[in-house]
Amino acid sequence: MLPVQIARADEGGVGFWIPGFFGSLAAVPAQAPGWSVSTIYYHTSVSAGADVARAREITIGRIPANLTATVSANVKANVDLGLVAGTYTFATPVLGAQASASLLGGYGSNSTSLAGRQAR
């Protein structure tokens, strides 16, 4: 019997494949030889927040004291990317398959904000 394992998402549930750039090699149809250019616009908005409370008893000399702290934090990020890919597809087969080479360039912006507060 095999041990049970917890299912886990890659990158903490955030995808890292660029849309349209991942595919099975067996499922790729034959491409027309020559140059092609493709563009992709990618946008994502993420946010996270947490409230953390901590209590601890410390001793100063022989006097015990209680310390309690509460922290609240929020982070938000917006990403806008433009990707341009130039691809050249070769007409002559290489090792029995159609070869192509791509060059990908990206440009864009990222805005991130972090807000937090601590209460005693």
Side-chain angles (χ1 to χ4, degrees), residues 32-38 85-90 101-103:
W35 286 97
S36 64
V37 175
S38 60
T87 302
Y88 183 78
T89 303
F90 297 93
S102 295
L103 180 62

Side-chain angles (χ1 to χ4, degrees), residues 18-19 21 38-42 81-85 104-107:
I18 297 173
F21 275 85
S38 60
T39 60
I40 297 172
Y41 170 69
Y42 182 78
L81 295 177
L83 303 167
V84 178
L104 177 70
Y107 58 92

Side-chain angles (χ1 to χ4, degrees), residues 91-110:
T92 306
V94 177
L95 300 174
Q98 187 177 23
S100 65
S102 295
L103 180 62
L104 177 70
Y107 58 92
S109 66
N110 174 20

Side-chain angles (χ1 to χ4, degrees), residues 8-23:
R8 298 183 183 173
D10 46 316
E11 298 294 320
V14 178
F16 58 91
W17 298 108
I18 297 173
F21 275 85
F22 177 77

Side-chain angles (χ1 to χ4, degrees), residues 6 8-9 22 25 34 46 51-52 59 63-64 68 72 78 85 98 112 114 118:
I6 297 172
R8 298 183 183 173
F22 177 77
L25 294 176
V46 294
D51 294 327
V52 178
T59 302
I63 303 169
T68 303
S72 177
N78 291 312
Q98 187 177 23
T112 305
L114 174 64
Q118 176 180 355

